[in-house]
Every structure is written in structure tokens, then in C-alpha cells.
């Protein structure tokens, strides 16, 4: 990044910042993530990089959602969505729609969550984006599980699991096991739930993922 700063290459400097702060977010260092994202947003605004600006807003919005600052998260994600729509960036549009699905789900706004999730799924399918479609299926499956539609949820989780395994996405497959295990706990299928959660724990531990604590909590460890 220092080289880009010396060269005055603002766009590449901003993208390096975004990559670094994404790592911060994934490892739970939210303060550092936000500082880097805001620096990237400032640089992209000065450089008139609309795509980079939208990316930074999306990422700050995700951090805000994780922190429970839902109104700010919604505003940032909606701004990112409109920017990506004006750029006709279909893949990014779908990504933000899933993030909004997650946000609405967390807030208990299940109708809005389903609307955004279905829109994202259709867009991913049109683009032939298998990983994105699986991600949307998982989010919609969680919505189904929380709105009394366990059969639909199980079907979505199975489609997502099959896709993740086919493309070799271990983290995605582990997420399915986590959510299916959670659903089976709600259904009283304790043995099947424990099997899913034990497998998810093994995968997450090997991947060094932050979800290890969540799975251990569900297993009562």
C-alpha cells in the first residue's frame, strides 16, 4: 500500500484498504475494519470511484449490522444498492440484496427479508453464480425456519449444501450444517442436530472460523 501512496495511486490504495478491512471484519476487529473502510470511502469519493465507494459503504453497513446498529446499516446498504444499480453491477446488486435480507431477518422483518432474498436468488441464478445462489438459499432457509416452514427450510439447506460441496466451498458447507443443526434442535431432532453441529464444529475449527464459539454454544460445550 505504501508504494501506491508514494505513486499517488488512490484507487489501488483504496482497494488495498478494503481488502485489509475485510480481513479485520472477518476476524472480529470491527474498530480497525471501520477505520479502514472509512479511509477507503474518503479516498474513493475524492477519486470519483463510484464502484469503490459503493463497496466501502456495503462493508461499513455489514460492520454496523454486526454491531447491532441496524438503522445505520440499512442506510449504508441501501445507498450501496442504489450506487451499484446505477452502475448496472448485477453481481454486486445481488450481494447487497443478500446482506439486506440478513439485516431484515436479524430485525425480525421476515417479509422484507424474504423479498430481498428471493430477488438476490433470482439474480444469482440468472448470472449463473452458484456460490451466490447457495448463499441466498441459506439465508432464505433461515427465514423459513423462523417463520414455521421447516420443510422449505430443509429443502433450501440441502440445495445449498449440495452446491457448496460441488464447488468445494468448505466454509459455505459448514454454514449449512450449522443452520440445519439449529433447525433440527428446534424440531426436537437432537441426535441429528448434534451430528450436524459436530461436523460443523470440525470444519470451522479447521478453517479457523469465528463461528466455532457459536457452534460450541449450541452443543452445550
Amino acid at each position: 500500500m505504501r508504494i501506491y501512496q508514494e505513486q499517488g495511486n488512490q484507487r489501488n490504495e483504496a482497494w488495498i484498504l478494503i481488502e485489509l478491512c475485510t480481513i479485520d471484519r472477518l476476524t472480529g476487529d470491527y474498530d480497525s475494519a471501520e477505520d479502514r473502510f472509512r479511509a477507503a470511502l474518503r479516498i474513493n469519493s475524492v477519486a470519483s470511484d463510484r464502484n469503490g465507494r459503493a463497496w466501502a459503504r456495503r462493508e461499513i453497513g455489514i460492520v454496523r449490522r454486526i454491531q447491532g446498529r441496524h438503522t445505520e446499516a440499512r442506510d449504508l446498504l441501501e445507498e450501496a444498492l442504489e450506487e451499484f444499480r446505477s452502475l448496472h453491477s448485477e453481481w454486486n446488486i445481488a450481494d447487497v440484496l443478500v446482506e439486506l435480507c440478513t439485516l431484515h431477518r436479524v430485525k425480525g422483518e421476515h417479509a422484507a427479508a424474504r423479498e430481498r432474498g428471493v430477488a438476490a436468488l433470482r439474480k444469482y441464478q440468472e448470472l449463473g453464480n452458484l456460490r451466490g445462489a447457495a448463499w441466498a438459499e441459506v439465508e432464505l432457509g433461515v427465514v423459513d425456519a423462523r417463520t414455521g416452514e421447516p420443510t422449505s427450510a430443509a429443502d433450501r439447506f440441502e440445495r445449498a449444501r449440495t452446491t457448496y460441496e460441488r464447488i468445494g466451498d468448505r466454509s459455505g458447507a459448514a454454514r449449512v450444517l450449522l443452520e440445519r443443526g439449529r433447525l433440527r434442535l428446534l424440531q426436537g431432532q437432537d441426535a441429528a442436530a448434534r451430528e450436524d453441529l459436530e461436523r460443523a464444529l470440525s470444519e470451522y475449527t479447521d478453517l479457523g472460523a469465528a463461528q466455532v464459539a457459536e457452534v460450541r454454544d449450541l452443543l452445550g460445550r
Side-chain angles (χ1 to χ4, degrees), residues 6 52 70 76 102 113 115 129 139 151 157 161 188 198 200 217:
E6 292 171 354
H70 295 152
L76 286 159
T102 302
E115 179 184 353
N129 184 337
E139 289 300 320
T151 301
F157 292 152
R161 184 195 63 79
E198 290 283 3
D217 183 60

Side-chain angles (χ1 to χ4, degrees), residues 20-209:
L20 288 170
C21 53
T22 299
I23 293 171
D24 288 337
R25 172 170 64 78
L26 293 173
T27 55
D29 191 349
Y30 303 126
D31 290 338
S32 177
E34 181 169 352
D35 288 344
R36 292 188 200 271
F37 283 134
R38 290 211 169 276
L41 183 58
R42 286 193 297 273
I43 292 169
N44 284 324
S45 295
V46 171
S48 299
D49 183 345
R50 295 171 61 200
N51 188 65
R53 188 169 58 207
W55 257 91
R57 283 178 174 149
R58 169 185 180 256
E59 294 296 325
I60 299 171
I62 296 171
V63 171
R64 285 285 186 265
R65 187 254 301 164
I66 293 170
Q67 294 173 323
R69 298 162 68 173
H70 295 152
T71 299
E72 294 173 53
R74 184 201 61 212
D75 291 346
L76 286 159
L77 290 171
E78 291 287 0
E79 288 170 8
L81 181 62
E82 289 309 306
E83 192 84 79
F84 283 133
R85 278 177 170 159
S86 70
L87 294 167
H88 306 289
S89 184
E90 299 301 309
W91 194 311
N92 286 321
I93 290 169
D95 285 351
V96 179
L97 285 169
V98 179
E99 295 295 352
L100 283 164
C101 171
T102 302
L103 174 62
H104 286 301
R105 171 175 61 75
V106 168
K107 294 175 66 180
E109 299 168 352
H110 295 126
R114 193 184 307 281
E115 179 184 353
R116 296 305 181 104
V118 168
L121 177 59
R122 288 173 179 163
K123 195 167 288 292
Y124 282 132
Q125 289 171 335
E126 291 169 1
L127 294 167
N129 184 337
L130 297 178
R131 180 176 279 103
W135 178 23
E137 287 276 28
V138 174
E139 289 300 320
L140 286 166
V142 176
V143 174
D144 288 341
R146 295 187 180 182
T147 54
E149 299 182 49
T151 301
S152 177
D155 289 345
R156 290 190 188 280
F157 292 152
E158 182 59 24
R159 285 195 293 271
R161 184 195 63 79
T162 300
T163 299
Y164 280 134
E165 291 185 351
R166 181 156 46 120
I167 64 179
D169 187 332
R170 292 176 60 196
S171 180
R175 167 82 193 287
V176 175
L177 290 169
L178 166 60
E179 295 301 344
R180 192 171 68 181
R182 203 193 311 269
L183 173 63
R184 286 173 167 173
L185 280 176
L186 290 172
Q187 294 177 305
Q189 301 174 17
D190 293 350
R194 177 162 291 276
E195 181 180 348
D196 278 345
L197 293 171
E198 290 283 3
R199 288 172 58 199
L201 180 61
S202 176
E203 285 294 307
Y204 279 136
T205 301
D206 188 46
L207 292 166

Side-chain angles (χ1 to χ4, degrees), residues 3-23:
I3 293 173
Y4 289 134
Q5 289 173 330
E6 292 171 354
Q7 292 174 343
N9 190 330
Q10 292 181 313
R11 286 188 175 179
N12 283 340
E13 180 187 352
W15 280 110
I16 293 293
L17 278 169
I18 287 175
E19 292 294 332
L20 288 170
C21 53
T22 299
I23 293 171

